[in-house]
Amino acid sequence: MSDSRAETTPGSADSTDSESDAAEREDDTTATASAEREDDTTATASPEREDDTTATASPEREDDTTASTETPTDRERRREVETERWLGVAGAALALVGLGVVVREPSLVLAGAVGVGYAVYARAGDAPTPTFAVTRSVSEAAPAPGDEVRVTVRAENVGEAALPDLRLVDGVPPGLAVVDGPARVATALRPGAAVTFEYTVRAARGDHEWEPLTAITRDAAGARERTTALDAATAIACTPELSAGGDLPLRGLTTVHHGRVPTDVGGAGVEFHATREYRRGDPLKRVDWNRRARTGELSTVELREERSATVVLLVDARESAYVAPDPDAETAVEASVAAAGQAFSALLTGGDRVGIAALSPLDCWLPPGSGSVHAARGRETLATDPALAPTPSGERFYRSLWFRRFRRRLPGDAQVLFFTPLVDDAAASLARRIDAHGHLVTVLSPDPTATETTGERLTAFERRQRLRTLRSAGIRALEWRDDSFPVAVAAATRRWSR
């Protein structure tokens, strides 16, 4: 169980605390009583310091009683607003009084007077400012994707004012969905009382930090309300495991290092490439003894070398890519990140050098590398990088600036696996531009389209046209929907190898 508690130490009552401590050390009962009266007088005469005085008074009361052991939570006060609940009551009441006087009907005058009384009562008070000690705990701080996490929120009124109308709304992270229980409560709290509510969220990939708890307080008449933000820092980290998705069909642009991608270069390997004239020092096992027996000439067999590739996994994480066939389905960005994780693991296992980048307003770049340390960095990037968050960043995206920066970073021998739903022409155009600069591109596209309405069918048709355009330009492209990503890769590999 992970528990998060936020505390604040009031700063404007230091002199009062010092005087109280001195009085306690001297064990002077009269001086202590005088200090307590001074606190009450200060709290009455200085409303602007009400928050600090209340926060100071709470610990002092703890010395005398065990009713409250909590310290006030750091808060941000916001302006008080009118609820307009009693809007028009005063006018209607005065109209009744006037009508009663004109027609000389005492009952109308009395009814109008009652209404005027209610209107005066509604404007007499202010919405109370809450002083809370808030704790928020989660059942698991590092859940796996899809796990349900129970959240418990407890708020204790450690102030001196009663709260007749209170609403608490928890700041659930935007990337987490509430699956059980509302993340809010409505109640009334007297001083020293507490309220607890629970709800359940479903964990999603990434780091998730709770926003402040919002407290809305109203006066007894409900005419005014005040909103206060209560900070109780809480976070969970959800990092999925990377599972290999099978061998990906890489293209012929490779490095000089040994790997698994067949090349047109002769050397050491397992597949026949060509024969050449024997040279002194060639290993005997590579001599073509059959040809020697037929022609009497010595020749050496060359095999097709297999070398490693440098690959950059590019994930489309623009705001337009956060689309799904229905509200409950995962977005295309989530599907792309999951597929990129499988590709990352498979390529590293095959000996290739792999990097990660995001087509996003936020910068995300992991240079190509290999090894166990690089594997851990890639896992962390795909799981928690803000550019690949489950929800869009909302910032503006400058495509030309992004492309220039990406081109400077991209190694000259790298090929690009571009994960994109192809929901617009910009993604298809970018794939062609990268390919035109000499980097082999393979587009891997999750299908987020639906076909229930005419507009959805038109969107699906336009997306299929983009796929055809890319294939006609010599760019490999595959898509997957209900079937898994490895199944789609295996089918495309058979098609491309024909």
Side-chain angles (χ1 to χ4, degrees), residues 290-310:
N290 293 329
R291 184 173 181 178
R292 167 68 174 173
R294 291 196 309 268
T295 64
E297 299 177 356
L298 284 175
S299 60
T300 301
V301 175
E302 288 194 336
L303 304 176
R304 188 183 301 275
E305 284 192 353
E306 293 184 345
R307 296 180 178 177
S308 64
T310 300

Side-chain angles (χ1 to χ4, degrees), residues 1 24 68 84 93 108 136 239 285 298 356 464 475 477:
M1 175 78 73
E24 290 175 359
S68 175
E84 299 184 350
L108 292 178
R136 183 193 293 111
T239 305
K285 65 180 181 180
L298 284 175
I356 299 173
R464 289 193 298 270
I475 297 176

Side-chain angles (χ1 to χ4, degrees), residues 367-391:
S370 59
S372 57
V373 175
H374 187 73
R377 290 175 181 170
R379 178 173 177 263
E380 187 72 14
T381 299
L382 291 171
T384 62
D385 195 285
L388 302 174
T391 55

Side-chain angles (χ1 to χ4, degrees), residues 253 283 333 415:
L253 192 61
V333 173
Q415 56 182 288

Side-chain angles (χ1 to χ4, degrees), residues 4 30 72 108 135 159 176 189 228 261 281-282 286 291 312 356 442:
S4 299
T30 304
L108 292 178
T135 59
L176 301 180
L189 288 180
T228 307
V261 181
D282 286 345
R286 298 263 302 277
R291 184 173 181 178
V312 172
I356 299 173
T442 300

Side-chain angles (χ1 to χ4, degrees), residues 173-438:
L176 301 180
V178 178
V179 296
D180 182 28
R184 62 180 64 88
V185 69
T187 186
L189 288 180
R190 66 179 185 277
V195 61
T196 301
F197 62 97
E198 296 181 339
Y199 60 94
T200 303
V201 297
R202 179 174 288 111
R205 174 189 55 84
D207 289 337
H208 305 278
E209 184 174 352
W210 264 255
E211 298 175 357
L213 177 73
T214 300
I216 303 173
T217 54
R218 293 181 177 179
D219 58 3
R224 291 181 175 86
E225 74 175 26
R226 187 188 305 276
T227 301
T228 307
L230 304 167
D231 190 18
T234 308
I236 62 173
C238 183
T239 305
E241 295 291 337
L242 296 183
S243 58
D247 290 340
L248 274 83
L250 299 180
R251 303 174 73 176
L253 192 61
T254 59
T255 67
V256 296
H257 305 289
H258 178 72
R260 64 182 181 86
V261 181
T263 68
D264 291 330
V265 179
V270 296
E271 181 184 351
F272 175 79
H273 176 64
T275 59
R276 62 171 173 80
E277 184 178 340
Y278 175 79
R279 299 171 188 161
R280 184 182 297 272
D282 286 345
L284 293 179
K285 65 180 181 180
R286 298 263 302 277
V287 174
D288 189 352
W289 296 109
N290 293 329
R291 184 173 181 178
R292 167 68 174 173
R294 291 196 309 268
T295 64
E297 299 177 356
L298 284 175
S299 60
T300 301
V301 175
E302 288 194 336
L303 304 176
R304 188 183 301 275
E305 284 192 353
E306 293 184 345
R307 296 180 178 177
S308 64
T310 300
V311 186
V312 172
L313 309 179
L314 176 60
V315 179
D316 188 352
R318 297 169 299 152
E319 186 173 359
S320 59
Y322 285 86
V323 292
D326 59 76
D328 296 329
E330 68 174 8
T331 65
V333 173
E334 284 295 291
S336 295
V337 171
Q342 297 181 44
F344 184 84
S345 181
L347 293 171
L348 283 184
T349 303
D352 299 309
R353 301 176 65 251
V354 193
I356 299 173
L359 182 64
S360 166
L362 304 179
D363 187 33
C364 174
W365 172 253
L366 178 67
S370 59
S372 57
V373 175
H374 187 73
R377 290 175 181 170
R379 178 173 177 263
E380 187 72 14
T381 299
L382 291 171
T384 62
D385 195 285
L388 302 174
T391 55
S393 65
E395 298 189 18
R396 191 170 181 179
F397 178 60
Y398 298 94
R399 186 174 61 176
S400 59
L401 295 178
W402 178 91
F403 184 74
R404 286 199 294 269
R405 183 173 56 193
F406 180 71
R407 282 275 298 114
R408 288 195 301 267
R409 292 171 166 175
L410 194 63
D413 60 350
Q415 56 182 288
V416 177
L417 299 185
F418 186 19
F419 297 84
T420 174
L422 287 175
V423 293
D424 54 20
D425 293 332
S429 175
L430 177 64
R432 291 194 297 269
R433 287 186 65 184
I434 296 174
D435 186 74
H437 280 81

